[in-house]
Amino acid sequence: MAVKDRLESRTTHVTVGSTYDNVANLADAFIEKIIAKYEGTRLGRQELYAEILTEVPGALWKREVIEQYRVRRMPALARVVVAVDPAASDSEGSAETGIIVAGVGEDRNAYVFDDVSLHASPDGWAKQAVAAYYRHNADRIVAEVNNGGDMVGYTVRTVDQGVAYKDVRASRGKQIRAEPVAALYEQGKVHHVGYFGELEDQLCTWVPGEKSPDRLDALVWALTELMLDGHEAADIF
């Protein structure tokens, strides 16, 4: 906390450099052992990239829990979904469209293994979601339609008529939807395959009552579909 307060002081000037800025001067053994060991981890963000990572009181997700169950590889997956949280608009300053890919293995654990969220027009995010659907041999695209209504499914179908698609409509508050998903993390049933900095930052800084961000919403939809039997109103076509 003292470091954070000092960084936020108006009298402090902060200069940040990563380990990679000095890689030409590092021994090969250091690169092989230290960088290879910590790249793609929370500790690596601090030690290799000089980021200050803090916990937010009241946040449902904890960094140490995500880190504890992080994996480098995943088993064969029984089912894969691409979950989409469409942005309300593509104007400058609007939120990104959250697009998260996750699957469930025969071990009944979930694996989050791709984040292709982006700031784009409806046609742009639909193409991104469809591309992820085919790249990962997904079983379905799941998209929230509270804001876009039928236009969300229409946009996906315009890009590709052949994808399996499911509308999901939130019938409960975001905290109520997010809590059982966060609980799955605490139970060790969700694993991030590799590292997803922006997604994990959103998870670990969102406090119920605040507007939930794009990647977090898409993740909640993905894991609800895979692990919680899709317990929200849905239309499938």
Side-chain angles (χ1 to χ4, degrees):
M1 185 61 69
V3 173
K4 183 174 181 291
D5 291 342
R6 180 65 61 86
L7 289 174
E8 293 175 351
S9 171
R10 292 181 297 174
T11 62
T12 299
H13 174 74
V14 180
T15 301
V16 177
S18 79
T19 300
Y20 293 98
D21 295 334
N22 190 44
V23 73
N25 300 312
L26 299 177
D28 291 342
F30 180 90
I31 295 173
E32 292 176 4
K33 294 182 180 180
I34 303 301
I35 292 183
K37 181 177 181 179
Y38 293 110
E39 180 60 72
T41 68
R42 179 178 185 268
L43 185 58
R45 290 183 67 186
Q46 296 183 132
E47 302 302 324
L48 300 180
Y49 292 95
E51 295 184 36
I52 304 297
L53 303 182
T54 58
E55 299 293 350
V56 175
L60 293 181
W61 280 265
K62 303 299 181 184
R63 293 188 191 274
E64 61 266 25
V65 172
I66 295 174
E67 193 66 46
Q68 180 180 358
Y69 297 109
R70 191 188 310 279
V71 297
R72 294 185 180 276
R73 297 182 181 86
M74 58 186 173
L77 299 177
R79 189 161 178 253
V80 173
V81 299
V82 178
V84 183
D85 178 59
S89 73
D90 63 339
S91 61
E92 185 176 353
S94 66
E96 290 187 308
T97 289
I99 306 177
I100 300 296
V101 188
V104 62
E106 293 182 357
D107 57 0
R108 296 303 301 161
N109 284 357
Y111 296 85
V112 179
F113 61 92
D114 204 1
D115 175 0
V116 292
S117 306
L118 78 169
H119 189 282
S121 66
D123 180 68
W125 64 251
K127 287 179 177 176
Q128 183 89 317
V130 170
Y133 172 89
Y134 284 111
R135 183 168 62 252
H136 296 298
N137 194 28
D139 296 280
R140 181 172 293 164
I141 293 175
V142 178
E144 180 178 345
V145 297
N146 284 59
N147 291 324
D150 293 339
M151 285 299 295
V152 175
Y154 176 80
T155 301
V156 173
R157 291 296 194 188
T158 298
V159 172
D160 192 316
Q161 289 276 352
V163 299
Y165 173 83
K166 177 180 179 180
D167 278 346
V168 286
R169 293 181 174 84
S171 58
R172 301 177 294 172
K174 291 188 176 182
Q175 178 176 352
I176 295 175
R177 287 188 284 116
E179 283 177 341
V181 174
L184 292 173
Y185 277 77
E186 294 178 358
Q187 295 163 1
K189 295 180 179 179
V190 181
H191 309 273
H192 288 196
V193 185
Y195 187 78
F196 304 99
E198 292 177 283
L199 168 62
E200 292 171 20
D201 283 348
Q202 288 189 3
L203 295 177
C204 298
T205 58
W206 178 70
V207 176
E210 298 177 351
K211 178 178 174 57
S212 56
D214 35 67
R215 288 173 169 82
L216 182 153
D217 278 346
L219 175 92
V220 168
W221 285 119
L223 296 181
T224 297
E225 175 69 19
L226 291 169
M227 301 289 284
L228 302 171
D229 299 322
H231 286 162
E232 287 288 341
D235 295 325
I236 303 176
F237 62 90

